[in-house]
Amino acid sequence: MNSSQLLGITTLAYLLSAMLYIAIFVFRAKKIDLIATLVTICAFLINTAGIGLRWYESYQAGIGYAPLSNMYESLVFFAWAIAIFYLGLEFKYKNRVLGAFSMPFACLSMAYASLSPQFGKEIKPLIPALQSNWLIAHVITCFVGYAAFAVASGMGIMYLIKDRKTPDDAGSLLASLPELKVIDDIIHKTLVFGFLWLSAGIITGAVWANAAWGTYWSWDPKETWSLITWFVYAATLHARFTRGWGGRRIAWLAIIGFLSVIFTYYGVNFLLSGLHSYGGS
């Protein structure tokens, strides 16, 4: 079995995980609580093994690099980061309904990586600009932040759904969601966590850029949009701390911020040419 096959299994495992959590939410199927968690842990371990095997295969091919260098590999790592972040969230808040709004992101990321004909899964020699340990630090920090923002947007959707609740809904599906102040607290803490990692990602990216291209900042479209995304979250957290914003406003901003992340991550690679254009392959 090679890494592509193992990561294909990961896609199915994350799909099963997402379906189980959605079933827990929709059907209030408490009996499968533990099964959902175990499936997610298994999926995460398979994901980890797939990344490790791809890393090993690169050495077998005489290249030897951390599998974080193209869109396919970054999507695989994105799913991995979402899964481990969610598992931490589930452990802290002891509420598996959160998985219905988090694990679909990991599933979609892996499905896109595995099924899209856009991305080659072959292991190829890296161009000189990618042959840097700063690339590893940059990708890891950015994608841990992106994973937190993905989960925050899921929590934002959850908040907006819960906020539609009327007294007649007390015993309904929405009653199984956490209280609004709990969801708001999760969104806030997740955004702070993601913002710190994104900030580290921009700094490590600047150091990498200086090593690769001789300048810390060149206003490449990816850099510009990374800064825009950073400002979106900075403004969100600033409004939270200074104006006391919360509730629906922060929920919407968490969703809008993630749309900016998606464009920075995906849209720039395919719609705007620049120094990061190789990342779309």
Side-chain angles (χ1 to χ4, degrees):
M1 179 176 290
N2 59 38
S3 61
S4 294
Q5 292 169 325
L6 200 55
L7 292 170
I9 295 172
T10 304
T11 304
L12 296 176
Y14 280 139
L15 175 62
L16 179 59
S17 165
M19 291 174 64
L20 288 169
Y21 283 118
I22 291 172
I24 290 171
F25 169 53
V26 175
F27 303 110
R28 283 174 280 182
K30 294 292 184 184
K31 291 181 179 178
I32 61 173
D33 270 12
L34 183 59
I35 296 173
T37 301
L38 292 175
V39 167
T40 305
I41 292 172
C42 288
F44 170 73
L45 293 176
I46 297 170
N47 195 166
T48 305
I51 293 172
L53 182 56
R54 188 171 177 87
W55 201 334
Y56 174 76
E57 289 171 348
S58 75
Y59 277 94
Q60 291 290 92
I63 303 170
Y65 71 91
L68 301 166
S69 303
N70 55 41
M71 182 63 86
Y72 171 73
E73 292 169 348
S74 65
L75 282 166
V76 169
F77 184 74
F78 186 34
W80 183 90
I82 291 171
I84 192 170
F85 186 84
Y86 165 69
L87 286 170
L89 208 62
E90 181 181 308
F91 179 77
K92 178 176 175 59
Y93 288 93
K94 314 293 183 192
N95 190 323
R96 290 183 172 90
V97 173
L98 302 179
F101 295 85
S102 302
M103 288 312 296
F105 290 109
C107 174
L108 289 173
S109 181
M110 278 305 307
Y112 188 40
S114 299
L115 303 177
S116 174
Q118 286 178 296
F119 313 132
K121 300 177 179 58
E122 313 83 45
I123 296 174
K124 298 178 180 177
L126 300 180
I127 63 173
L130 301 181
Q131 297 172 11
S132 168
N133 288 331
W134 282 108
L135 168 69
I136 301 174
H138 172 57
V139 173
I140 289 176
T141 48
C142 278
F143 278 89
V144 170
Y146 287 176
F149 293 144
V151 173
S153 71
M155 297 302 109
I157 294 169
M158 178 194 283
Y159 187 98
L160 296 175
I161 292 174
K162 176 78 174 181
D163 200 33
R164 292 169 58 88
K165 185 175 80 66
T166 64
D168 292 334
D169 295 320
S172 73
L173 190 67
L174 301 183
S176 63
L177 296 175
E179 293 299 318
L180 288 175
K181 66 178 183 181
V182 175
I183 304 174
D184 185 67
D185 182 61
I186 295 173
I187 294 172
H188 172 226
K189 290 176 179 175
T190 303
L191 289 179
V192 170
F193 180 87
F195 182 73
L196 293 175
W197 282 91
L198 176 62
S199 300
I202 291 175
I203 293 169
T204 53
V207 176
W208 170 43
N210 186 55
W213 300 300
T215 176
Y216 287 100
W217 199 268
S218 55
W219 296 106
D220 170 76
K222 178 77 84 176
E223 294 172 348
T224 303
W225 271 95
S226 295
L227 194 60
I228 291 171
T229 299
W230 187 88
F231 273 116
V232 169
Y233 286 110
T236 300
L237 293 174
H238 179 75
R240 174 86 177 194
F241 289 127
T242 62
R243 303 275 183 174
W245 280 24
R248 294 180 67 86
R249 286 175 173 173
I250 294 297
W252 275 112
L253 286 170
I255 296 169
I256 292 169
F258 187 58
L259 292 177
S260 181
V261 167
I262 291 175
F263 188 79
T264 302
Y265 174 30
Y266 181 82
V268 169
N269 283 0
F270 293 98
L271 300 177
L272 303 173
S273 62
L275 294 172
H276 289 76
S277 297
Y278 54 80
S281 61

